């Protein structure tokens, strides 16, 4: 298994070059075609209303195309740059979702409030993860990540979203040097023990993936922070987990946990829903 078509989202944020370099490294590792998509909100209100690009957005798109083509040429990869015709908020989100459906993997950047109008809409990552039907890799805004997937941590709770993320991340797992499966148990879990099932490590072994498994118990409130801390303890350069989109009772802790990890994860994060 491998990724043959990778989409990377581009904007004018200060972190876009690091994101692009991470996407290039992944494309090189998997022999993938790299597609760049420039999409960000337009700060010119009249242009947004008229559904056209302001001069500011046109200039930003030109800089984005030049950066993408320069990096692409140096990488030796095949690829192509595209830019949206305007920067209306919902248009940007909707188009990135649609473009993502035609890629094996979409690379986005973690939202940074300090980037302001230079970045894409705050809800972009969450909406693409929940609505594209494809795996999404979120690159943190702090730091550079020339290597992603050498040491992988997998969050596992045997639910649908976790199984989907595991399958979507298999091209990474098959290339990884170390894989650690992390299960976070909460003190609220009082279910009776089930009959033994096939083990996750056995399943991974069929794919040639040798992994270790660990689990620990925490309070509901601290589950996501505990997961991130344990992933960091393993030296992971990638965290794989399923994403939840339920924000109302009784799934509040799941959806809010996904949102929390999206905003705070210090290493690249591969999410599927």
């Amino acid at each position: 298994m491998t990724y043959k078509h990778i989409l990377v989202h581009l904007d004018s944020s200060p972190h876009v070059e690091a994101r692009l370099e991470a996407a290039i490294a992944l494309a090189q590792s998997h022999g993938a075609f790299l597609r760049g998509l420039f999409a960000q909100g337009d700060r010119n209100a009249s242009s947004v209303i008229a559904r056209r690009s302001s001069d500011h957005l046109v200039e930003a798109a030109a800089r984005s195309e030049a950066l993408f083509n320069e990096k692409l040429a140096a990488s030796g990869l095949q690829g192509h740059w595209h830019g949206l015709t305007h920067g209306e908020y919902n248009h940007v989100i909707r188009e990135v979702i649609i473009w993502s459906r035609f890629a094996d993997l979409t690379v986005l950047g973690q939202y940074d409030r300090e980037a302001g109008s230079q970045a894409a809409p705050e809800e972009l990552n969450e909406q693409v993860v929940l609505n594209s039907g494809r795996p999404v890799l979120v690159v943190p805004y702090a730091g550079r990540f020339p290597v992603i997937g050498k040491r992988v941590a997998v969050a596992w709770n045997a639910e649908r979203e976790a199984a989907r993320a595991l399958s979507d991340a298999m091209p990474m797992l098959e290339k990884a040097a170390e894989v650690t499966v992390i299960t976070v148990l909460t003190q609220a879990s009082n279910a009776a023990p089930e009959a033994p099932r096939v083990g996750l490590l056995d399943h991974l072994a069929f794919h040639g993936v040798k992994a270790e498994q660990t689990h620990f118990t925490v309070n509901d409130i601290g589950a996501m922070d505990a997961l991130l801390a344990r992933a960091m303890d393993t030296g992971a350069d990638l965290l794989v987990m399923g994403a939840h989109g339920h924000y109302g009772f009784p799934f509040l802790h799941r959806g809010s946990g996904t949102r929390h990890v999206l905003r705070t994860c210090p290493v690249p994060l591969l999410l599927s829903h």
Side-chain angles (χ1 to χ4, degrees):
M1 298 177 65
T2 188
Y3 303 123
K4 288 300 183 183
H5 181 195
I6 294 177
L7 175 72
V8 56
H9 168 250
L10 306 171
D11 53 22
S12 299
S13 75
H15 322 295
V16 67
E17 186 171 353
R19 185 191 322 154
L20 177 55
E21 290 174 350
I24 286 174
L26 285 172
Q28 289 173 325
S29 176
H30 294 273
F33 183 94
L34 183 64
R35 195 176 301 278
L37 178 64
F38 176 81
Q40 72 179 47
D42 198 335
R43 65 188 184 188
N44 188 310
S46 61
S47 296
V48 170
I49 294 173
R51 297 293 182 98
R52 62 177 177 81
S53 293
S54 66
D55 291 342
H56 165 76
L57 199 62
V58 169
E59 293 170 0
R63 291 192 297 271
S64 172
E65 184 175 14
L67 175 65
F68 179 85
N69 289 335
E70 176 188 351
K71 296 287 187 181
L72 186 72
S75 71
L77 292 169
Q78 294 294 313
H80 199 276
W81 179 93
H82 304 266
L84 297 190
T85 55
H86 62 85
E88 190 273 328
Y89 188 93
N90 290 325
H91 173 73
V92 170
I93 294 176
R94 183 176 62 251
E95 285 298 307
V96 177
I97 289 172
I98 293 173
W99 280 79
S100 295
R101 291 174 180 164
F102 296 93
D104 297 324
L105 178 70
T106 295
V107 180
L108 304 177
Q110 190 177 54
Y111 183 74
D112 178 13
R113 292 184 181 276
E114 295 185 1
S117 62
Q118 295 177 304
E122 183 174 359
E123 296 180 9
L124 178 69
N125 292 355
E126 182 180 343
Q127 292 301 318
V128 174
V129 168
L130 297 179
N131 295 293
S132 68
R134 308 301 297 140
V136 173
L137 179 72
V138 180
V139 179
Y141 62 78
R144 290 183 177 267
F145 304 90
V147 177
I148 298 177
K150 183 177 181 180
R151 295 183 176 88
V152 183
V154 178
W156 180 253
N157 60 4
E159 294 190 5
R160 183 191 70 81
E161 292 82 1
R164 176 66 185 274
L166 183 79
S167 178
D168 286 342
M170 198 61 73
M172 296 276 205
L173 300 178
E174 291 176 342
K175 290 178 175 290
E178 297 178 13
V179 176
T180 303
V181 178
I182 303 173
T183 298
V184 181
L185 305 173
T186 63
Q187 293 178 349
S189 300
N190 296 315
E194 299 282 352
R197 302 185 181 96
V198 62
L200 179 58
L201 300 190
D202 292 335
H203 170 68
L204 290 172
F206 288 125
H207 291 269
V209 178
K210 183 177 180 180
E212 296 181 352
Q213 192 164 16
T214 181
H215 67 271
F216 56 99
T217 303
V218 297
N219 295 321
D220 286 345
I221 296 175
M224 292 299 101
D225 286 331
L227 170 64
L228 294 178
R230 183 59 62 93
M232 294 299 292
D233 287 344
T234 67
D237 55 34
L238 174 67
L239 173 62
V240 174
M241 66 178 287
H244 290 270
H246 306 287
Y247 295 100
F249 181 83
F251 300 108
L252 180 62
H253 66 290
R254 292 179 176 177
S256 60
T258 298
R259 182 176 291 178
H260 177 68
V261 173
L262 265 172
R263 294 179 176 178
T264 61
C265 189
V267 298
L269 175 68
L270 192 149
L271 288 166
S272 292
H273 174 66

